[in-house]
Amino acid sequence: MPPWSFVGRNAELIRVAEAASGSTGRGLILGGPPGIGKSRLLREGVNALDQDRLAVWTATANAATAGLPLGGLAQVLPPDQPAGGSPAGLLRWAVDALHRQAAGRPIVVAVDDAHLLDPLSAALVYYVARSENATVIGTVRTGEPVHDPISALWKDDLVERIELSPLTLQETSDLLQQVLGGPVDSASVDRLWQLSQGNALLLRELVIAAHAAGEIIESYGMQRWTGKVDLAPTLTEVVDARIGKLTPQERAVLELVAFGEPIGLPLLVNATDLATVETAEERQLIRVVVEDRRTTVRLAHPLYGEVVRRRCPVTRFRRLLDQLATLVEGSGARRRDDLLRVAVWRLDSDTARDPVQLLNACRLAFATYDMALAMRLGKAAVAAGGGFDAAETLATILMFANCPEEGARILDENEDQIIDEAQRSRWLAVRHITSHWGLGDPTTVDELNRQTHKLTDLRERSLALAVESTMRLHRGDSGQALTLARTVLDSPASAPGPRALARSIMGHLQAMRGAPVQTVKAMAALDADAAQWRAEVPYIQLGVELARGTATILAADLEAVDAIVAAEFAGMADAGNFLLGSGYLQIVRAQAARLRGRLQEAGRAASQASAALATGRIFVALAHAERAHIAALCGDPAAATAAFAEAERAHYRSMEVLYPWLEEARAWVAVASGDITTAAEVLRLLAARNRSDGFAAHEMFALYHLGRLGFAAEVHERLDVLAQTVEGRLAPAIAWHVRAIAEEDGGSLLAVAEELAEMELNLFAAEAAAGAVTLLRSIRSPQTPRAAQRLAELRAECQLAATPALVVPQPMLTGRERQIAKLAAAGVPSKEIADQLYLSSRTVDNHLMRVYAKLGVTGRAELAAALRSLPPEE
């Protein structure tokens, strides 16, 4: 693993430099808790100083020298310290020595851990700060006692004291990417950031330990942490130092909080004693938080829990969990999370006897998408005699945790336990979901249809019908899917879960057929009703997100995409390691970033999706196709071809509904390879298929790609028709774009570039601006400079993009023409240019006229912008 880089802290680095240069008139003291990065920041700031202009001395105080006069600054003082001198005499000698060594240069004294200085060194630092032509910069640990001369530095306004804040999530991501040599998936970054609390030292120890233990895995260029915390000795030592020595009573408090957090304050006090709890809070081992009218207690740092739990003997561990469960049960256990925690404590303490309690807890965990916990509780419920209900729930979880073979086995082994139509309906739904998507058998839908008609209870039949509708949609039978979905919604007996699934199917179809705005609204309404069905059938949320994600991308509603990936489901999917949910949302994030032209960001998200989905079947082809599409837009045919080959290998009939995205990617892979003819043929076939299926929104995109590739005259009339029927701002904008290309209207292309840029569709906008520059330059339009400037701005938003429409034929200026044009653009008159270059004024003017013609401008005022649009001079 390479050395840890220094990232972020730019504002603080600037303040260090300003203090050292004397521009602020004061020094600077950096405060913060241990491990926050004070010392590294000080070192980086000092290393950046001009040590030829400044006399810079650095010292690090420590406990070993705290009792020695001037011991803390022995590193910067001459070795010939006078013997037997008074403290005042030693101070005078030290100050004189520093000024003598500085030889007239401004003095900068940098002291790390200034709170550990001996009293005389502290006084010397204070005197240096007060003297002329000298500055003090340093660090102190927040909360530690300091000698009066050090605290007087900021009290007397000789220095500015600032407290360093923890690393932000983005700074943590940047640091991890540099250290691990590649992008790190967002869920891993988030977990490491939360576990380290932004503390650079703790983050470093966590990552080094995880890397050494092989818990950081690379997949599709994406680094991912498995989530397993390895307590290496160095990490444990750091945490132990922060916890300090504990009395038996304090350890009991810490252990109860470590196993039970968040634990109610009254429960903790009843189990221990108030005085010890107060002491633990004073020592900042725990923190008391008011949450929803409850006063709860948590550990002051997540890693305290890791260390305390790991060191607890097994017998005490079980006794504590049993005690916690009894305490919460005794208080009523009224909240859902109380029920879940009690069941887990009972399970881990080996006191779980109630299969109903375990099953209910399993369902609660599944409803929050904590897949590992739900699976563990489900297996325990089955083992405890939970019967068919426990087996069916566990099999469902296994299916959505990418273990379909095991799920199918459990369902088949427990089919003979079915006693009513409610159980039969649930068995049919889950067994056929498992076969269809988990095992990749597209024929299972017909068997489900036959079995569903044997059900007589309309409420129980609704789930099987909704599942069949989803299968029909995904295998490409949209007409039958719609009919089945309407059957579910038309029946008053249908249950809330099947109704939600049917609405998501109809919403998905609506979006593809040209009504994505209606779909987004319909899915928002489903969110409002989620409490009626999520606890019973949480996997339906995936269908809702698929409909919503499809709609927002087809409408290019990028603000809505941002809301999706920041919503509760995304957070739960990431936290619970629900790879199917988080992987799909990463695909949506990649598609949105692609539309914005942020291809590096899009590539990271698509790679993250591919890694998350690699162990399953659902959506994995779409993830690879998105990688291929992005690589193609970047002009990387090898990467695009390899990614698309993986997409084709992973694609299967049960996910046929994804074909528009895959075929678009196929076309752009051909473009990247220089085969525009094949790309155009793929897109023509795709548009025809979309039109036949009634997928107007997808047809619109296929035709738009054709228009962007040079076939605008062929498709602009159909796009004008679609613009009248497809909802949202996007359809009219892209129809306008393609029509402007067909009519060779540079002014319209410039206007549509602004419209697309306002929608954040920067890649499309840049292509429109590129077309505008070419056309406007050819007619020497006065709009040419503005178009060139706009193109430069938009290209900066999508720097990696390399599509054919972005290519602007560049005029070839001779060396003399370029030389004259640069001088003219700088405002130099023709006569002065002629004198400088030993030419006649007439010759200069003739050169300028040729330059104006080549650049499509009308005079000097437009030259500067036009020259900026040219490639660099060779």
Side-chain angles (χ1 to χ4, degrees):
M1 181 178 291
W4 279 62
S5 305
F6 183 82
V7 301
R9 306 288 194 200
N10 292 327
E12 291 87 347
L13 271 177
I14 291 171
R15 293 172 83 167
V16 170
E18 289 174 346
S21 66
S23 60
T24 64
R26 295 187 294 170
L28 182 68
I29 295 293
L30 305 167
I36 201 70
K38 306 181 298 297
S39 300
R40 182 67 182 271
L41 175 60
L42 181 66
R43 186 164 68 248
E44 294 290 333
V46 168
N47 289 342
L49 297 178
D50 182 357
Q51 302 203 19
D52 292 328
R53 188 181 68 82
L54 301 171
V56 182
W57 286 287
T58 61
T60 300
N62 56 69
T65 61
L68 302 175
L70 295 180
L73 296 180
Q75 305 158 62
V76 303
L77 293 172
D80 56 342
Q81 178 177 329
S86 66
L90 286 174
L91 283 176
R92 282 195 298 272
W93 167 81
V95 171
D96 290 343
L98 290 176
H99 280 284
R100 187 168 54 253
Q101 292 178 101
R105 293 173 296 167
I107 292 174
V108 177
V109 175
V111 184
D112 194 18
D113 289 338
H115 56 282
L116 295 176
L117 285 172
D118 60 278
L120 198 58
S121 292
L124 175 57
V125 168
Y126 179 80
Y127 281 120
V128 170
R130 289 190 65 90
S131 65
E132 294 291 331
N133 211 28
T135 304
V136 169
I137 56 178
T139 69
V140 295
R141 184 176 296 176
T142 301
E144 293 285 338
V146 296
H147 292 297
D148 288 343
I150 298 300
S151 61
L153 290 172
W154 53 86
K155 290 178 181 177
D156 293 351
D157 206 29
L158 299 173
V159 302
E160 179 185 8
R161 175 168 174 171
I162 61 173
E163 293 294 312
L164 288 188
S165 57
L167 294 173
T168 65
L169 182 62
Q170 185 58 54
E171 288 170 341
T172 301
S173 178
D174 293 342
L175 179 57
L176 290 173
Q177 179 167 337
Q178 290 191 29
V179 170
L180 296 176
V184 184
D185 87 299
S186 56
S188 298
V189 172
D190 191 61
R191 287 196 292 267
L192 285 165
W193 179 63
Q194 290 189 24
L195 198 55
S196 67
Q197 298 284 284
N199 185 289
L201 175 61
L202 294 177
L203 178 67
R204 178 179 182 274
E205 295 299 333
L206 278 168
V207 172
I208 289 175
H211 190 271
E215 299 299 333
I216 294 179
I217 301 166
E218 181 179 355
S219 181
Y220 298 102
M222 185 66 55
Q223 306 287 334
R224 183 173 66 85
W225 178 44
T226 64
K228 181 180 178 182
V229 179
D230 189 76
L231 288 178
T234 52
L235 178 58
T236 305
E237 288 167 7
V238 171
V239 177
D240 279 341
R242 297 184 67 169
I243 293 176
K245 292 184 178 180
L246 299 172
T247 66
Q249 294 82 6
E250 290 168 345
R251 182 170 296 281
V253 169
L254 237 63
E255 287 177 342
L256 279 170
V257 179
F259 290 116
E261 66 177 332
I263 183 172
L265 179 59
L267 290 180
L268 181 61
V269 171
N270 289 340
T272 56
D273 65 89
L274 180 59
T276 307
V277 174
E278 287 179 354
T279 301
E281 186 181 10
E282 287 174 0
R283 291 185 56 187
Q284 297 183 8
L285 299 172
I286 60 174
R287 54 191 177 92
V288 179
V289 184
V290 178
E291 299 174 325
D292 296 334
R293 296 182 297 174
R294 266 189 174 187
T295 304
T296 60
V297 182
R298 295 179 181 271
L299 291 174
H301 197 287
L303 283 176
Y304 292 179
E306 295 292 340
V307 171
V308 170
R309 287 189 291 268
R310 195 69 61 91
R311 286 187 169 165
C312 186
V314 173
T315 51
R316 187 158 77 237
F317 161 75
R318 292 185 173 183
R319 175 178 59 79
L320 286 169
L321 293 187
D322 184 23
Q323 182 183 5
L324 283 166
T326 302
L327 283 167
V328 175
E329 286 172 338
S331 69
R334 292 178 294 273
R335 295 192 175 193
R336 288 163 60 91
D337 58 339
D338 286 342
L339 298 173
L340 177 57
R341 294 195 302 153
V342 166
V344 173
W345 291 331
R346 289 291 179 209
L347 179 61
D348 289 341
S349 64
D350 200 24
T351 58
R353 302 290 181 266
D354 184 356
V356 174
Q357 180 189 55
L358 292 168
L359 178 55
N360 288 337
C362 168
R363 288 171 172 167
L364 287 172
F366 189 22
T368 58
Y369 307 102
D370 188 338
M371 304 305 287
L373 180 58
M375 198 181 307
R376 195 157 67 89
L377 288 164
K379 290 179 177 179
V382 170
F388 173 83
D389 289 342
E392 178 265 328
T393 301
L394 174 59
T396 305
I397 293 165
L398 288 166
M399 162 60 207
F400 288 97
N402 293 330
C403 303
E405 293 84 1
E406 187 179 353
R409 178 184 57 77
I410 290 172
L411 285 167
D412 292 342
E413 289 174 353
N414 288 274
E415 185 179 5
D416 59 358
Q417 295 190 52
I418 296 173
I419 59 173
D420 56 29
E421 285 204 340
Q423 291 185 342
R424 171 58 64 183
S425 177
R426 296 207 310 273
W427 188 92
L428 286 173
V430 177
R431 185 62 179 86
H432 290 85
I433 285 172
T434 302
S435 295
H436 189 75
W437 285 292
L439 303 178
D441 180 2
T443 65
T444 192
V445 65
D446 296 322
E447 178 61 23
L448 174 60
N449 178 269
R450 285 190 292 272
Q451 295 294 334
T452 299
H453 283 89
K454 297 178 182 179
L455 299 174
T456 58
D457 187 313
L458 295 181
R459 179 181 176 86
E460 306 309 336
R461 183 188 287 186
S462 64
L463 177 59
L465 287 174
V467 168
E468 183 187 347
S469 176
T470 308
M471 291 179 179
R472 298 285 182 190
L473 171 65
H474 281 242
R475 59 177 278 153
D477 301 334
S478 58
Q480 289 179 280
L482 184 58
T483 299
L484 290 165
R486 283 177 175 158
T487 300
V488 173
L489 294 174
D490 289 344
S491 172
S494 296
R499 283 183 173 278
L501 187 53
R503 285 198 183 100
S504 72
I505 295 157
M506 294 188 71
H508 194 161
L509 277 169
Q510 273 185 315
M512 294 191 295
R513 290 181 171 183
V517 177
Q518 290 183 46
T519 297
V520 173
K521 292 178 180 177
M523 297 307 102
L526 276 183
D527 289 339
D529 297 334
Q532 299 179 27
W533 50 265
R534 181 180 283 173
E536 184 180 350
V537 276
Y539 58 84
I540 287 176
Q541 188 69 46
L542 199 57
V544 174
E545 298 304 327
L546 177 58
R548 190 184 349 245
T550 301
T552 52
I553 295 301
L554 289 177
D557 187 349
L558 303 183
E559 287 187 6
V561 173
D562 293 341
I564 291 172
V565 298
E568 180 188 32
F569 173 70
M572 289 192 296
D574 282 345
N577 209 26
F578 181 32
L579 298 179
L580 194 53
S582 59
Y584 174 69
L585 291 180
Q586 285 296 338
I587 293 173
V588 175
R589 182 181 278 122
Q591 291 173 323
R594 168 168 56 80
L595 291 174
R596 283 184 164 118
R598 300 174 186 169
L599 299 185
Q600 185 175 31
E601 177 187 332
R604 283 198 301 267
S607 294
Q608 187 168 327
S610 298
L613 298 166
T615 58
R617 292 173 174 270
I618 305 174
F619 302 133
V620 66
L622 181 58
H624 291 313
E626 190 58 33
R627 283 199 304 123
H629 195 156
I630 293 160
L633 293 177
C634 292
D636 188 343
T641 300
F644 194 74
E646 291 199 60
E648 288 194 298
R649 281 195 295 271
H651 187 49
Y652 64 119
R653 177 74 193 280
S654 298
M655 295 298 291
E656 189 64 20
V657 71
L658 304 178
Y659 80 83
W661 309 111
L662 270 66
E663 293 306 306
E664 284 183 23
R666 186 192 304 277
W668 280 100
V669 170
V671 172
S673 300
D675 190 352
I676 301 295
T677 301
T678 296
E681 187 57 30
V682 169
L683 291 169
R684 289 188 187 101
L685 292 171
L686 175 59
R689 183 177 176 185
N690 288 153
R691 188 169 184 178
S692 174
D693 289 340
F695 297 162
H698 279 302
E699 182 191 356
M700 176 188 72
F701 268 99
L703 296 175
Y704 187 37
H705 295 316
L706 273 169
R708 292 165 58 207
L709 291 174
F711 301 93
E714 176 184 328
V715 300
H716 75 93
E717 291 182 357
R718 175 60 182 165
L719 275 172
D720 284 340
V721 173
L722 290 172
Q724 304 302 313
T725 59
V726 176
E727 290 180 342
R729 290 178 62 188
L730 179 64
I734 64 178
W736 182 16
H737 185 180
V738 173
R739 186 168 62 254
I741 296 173
E743 295 173 355
E744 298 186 353
D745 185 344
S748 289
L749 281 172
L750 182 54
V752 81
E754 299 294 352
E755 172 78 4
L756 292 167
E758 187 178 330
M759 298 168 65
E760 295 188 80
L761 302 175
N762 297 316
L763 177 54
F764 300 158
E767 291 183 347
V773 168
T774 301
L775 292 170
L776 294 172
R777 181 181 286 161
S778 67
I779 60 172
R780 300 181 66 177
S781 167
Q783 291 182 294
T784 304
R786 185 162 70 90
Q789 180 65 30
R790 199 68 184 101
L791 173 59
E793 294 167 354
L794 289 166
R795 284 304 306 262
E797 295 293 327
C798 41
Q799 295 179 359
L800 298 181
T803 66
L806 285 173
V807 177
V808 178
Q810 297 293 349
M812 297 297 295
L813 299 184
T814 66
R816 178 66 83 186
E817 287 171 347
R818 190 184 285 262
Q819 187 180 27
I820 291 171
K822 284 181 178 179
L823 291 169
V828 180
S830 293
K831 187 173 187 314
E832 291 186 24
I833 296 174
D835 291 343
Q836 286 185 37
L837 303 181
Y838 303 101
L839 301 171
S840 69
S841 296
R842 183 181 182 84
T843 300
V844 169
D845 289 337
N846 287 339
H847 276 304
L848 283 174
M849 293 303 292
R850 286 194 293 273
V851 169
Y852 298 157
K854 288 182 178 181
L855 297 182
V857 298
T858 57
R860 289 172 179 254
E862 301 165 6
L863 262 181
L867 288 172
R868 282 196 296 271
S869 71
L870 296 179
E873 187 174 6
E874 293 184 2

